[in-house]
Amino acid sequence: MLTALNSEEKTLPERAADKIIDMIMGNAMKPGDRLPTELELIQYLNVGRSTVREAIKLLVSQNIIEVRRGNGTFVKEQTGVMDDPLGFRFVQDKLKLGLDLCEIRFMIEPAIAALAAERATKKDLEQLREACLKVEELISQGKDYAQWDIKFHTVLAQCTGNCVVHSLVPIITQSVPVFIDITRKGLLQQTIDCHREILEAVCAGDKQSAVKAAMHHLEDNRRNMLDINSKSAK
């Protein structure tokens, strides 16, 4: 599941909203399906009316559900929230999602790395180095590094100086927590090594090495996911 905060950091309405999302996913509800009534949600969530109403407001603001006056509350046709703009949270088969994302990233990320090596400014390189080192630091401390991993790839895209690439960034950044979850954090050293390879190639202005480093990073992820898929099929 893609969440921005740990559960203990969330308010009661936010936790209730997460439980409603879990209910939607657990029941494989489709766009247009009607949610339980307010009273049923109060009983299901074991919270008060005001909490349910605040949770509903949150989910409406996040484009997950819609309230149709006089008819009830329904799953939106196009789900997608600010921290999950492409709606990956609602894809049931996370392994297939990870492999499909990997295919797309193979199409675009090596080219991004090449352009980054060609066009990165001094400021870009400083930010890329900062993100790379922060990922290493958090991994070495056994802490959650996902947000800085996302930052690394966001800055790499920024290095291209191409304004259209900005629109492609969510494909990359939203895949990071998916990959981390699927691979069960099994690629920690590989992440450190590959990020360093990409950083060094971009800093050196070496387009070919940048492409190879990006490919290496993605190949590690894909191989790990295929291994997991093979083991789960047995």
Side-chain angles (χ1 to χ4, degrees):
M1 178 165 300
L2 310 180
T3 53
L5 297 172
N6 294 326
S7 59
E8 62 269 17
E9 297 175 317
K10 295 187 176 183
T11 65
L12 185 57
E14 288 172 335
R15 293 198 296 272
D18 282 345
K19 289 181 180 178
I20 292 173
I21 291 173
D22 288 341
M23 179 192 67
I24 292 171
M25 296 176 64
N27 294 327
M29 296 178 71
K30 299 179 178 61
D33 284 353
R34 184 174 179 172
L35 269 67
T37 65
E38 183 179 88
L39 179 58
E40 289 171 332
L41 287 174
I42 289 171
Q43 295 171 342
Y44 173 73
L45 300 170
N46 194 29
V47 295
R49 186 183 302 272
S50 62
T51 298
V52 168
R53 290 182 176 178
E54 286 301 314
I56 293 297
K57 286 180 182 178
L58 282 171
L59 296 176
V60 168
S61 70
Q62 293 172 342
N63 200 37
I64 294 173
I65 62 176
E66 62 179 330
V67 177
R68 300 176 190 170
R69 191 177 299 276
N71 289 323
T73 306
F74 300 81
V75 179
K76 283 279 287 188
E77 290 296 324
Q78 291 292 330
T79 54
V81 300
M82 290 181 68
D83 64 348
D84 181 22
L86 301 179
F88 293 157
R89 185 177 190 175
F90 295 89
V91 177
Q92 296 287 335
D93 189 341
K94 288 296 187 280
L95 181 57
K96 184 178 189 310
L97 171 63
L99 290 169
D100 286 353
L101 280 167
C102 211
E103 283 186 359
I104 299 300
R105 286 181 64 177
F106 267 113
M107 296 176 194
I108 62 176
E109 204 160 4
I112 287 174
L115 284 176
E118 181 181 347
R119 300 175 179 176
T121 66
K122 182 178 179 181
K123 182 178 179 181
D124 289 332
L125 295 177
E126 289 173 355
Q127 292 179 350
L128 193 65
R129 185 178 300 278
E130 178 191 20
C132 182
L133 293 176
K134 192 65 177 179
V135 168
E136 292 184 18
E137 175 188 334
L138 292 171
I139 287 177
S140 68
Q141 294 173 352
K143 295 181 179 179
D144 182 8
Y145 64 94
Q147 291 306 311
W148 278 97
D149 196 330
I150 288 170
K151 176 73 172 178
F152 179 85
H153 291 283
T154 300
V155 174
L156 184 65
Q158 171 188 307
C159 289
T160 67
N162 186 312
C163 65
V164 178
V165 169
H166 177 74
S167 299
L168 304 178
V169 168
I171 295 174
I172 298 168
T173 58
Q174 289 306 115
S175 71
V176 169
V178 174
F179 284 15
I180 291 173
D181 185 50
I182 292 172
T183 59
R184 300 161 191 165
K185 297 184 178 180
L187 293 172
L188 299 181
Q189 189 58 49
Q190 290 93 328
T191 295
I192 290 173
D193 293 343
C194 289
H195 279 194
R196 273 198 170 271
E197 286 178 18
I198 293 170
L199 172 65
E200 290 170 3
V202 172
C203 286
D206 187 337
K207 293 173 64 175
Q208 289 188 341
S209 293
V211 168
K212 289 179 181 178
M215 293 286 287
H216 182 196
H217 191 30
L218 294 171
E219 284 165 358
D220 278 347
N221 280 282
R222 181 170 62 182
R223 182 170 56 253
N224 192 280
M225 285 187 284
L226 288 172
D227 286 346
I228 291 171
N229 185 41
S230 176
K231 289 176 183 177
S232 64
K234 292 180 180 179

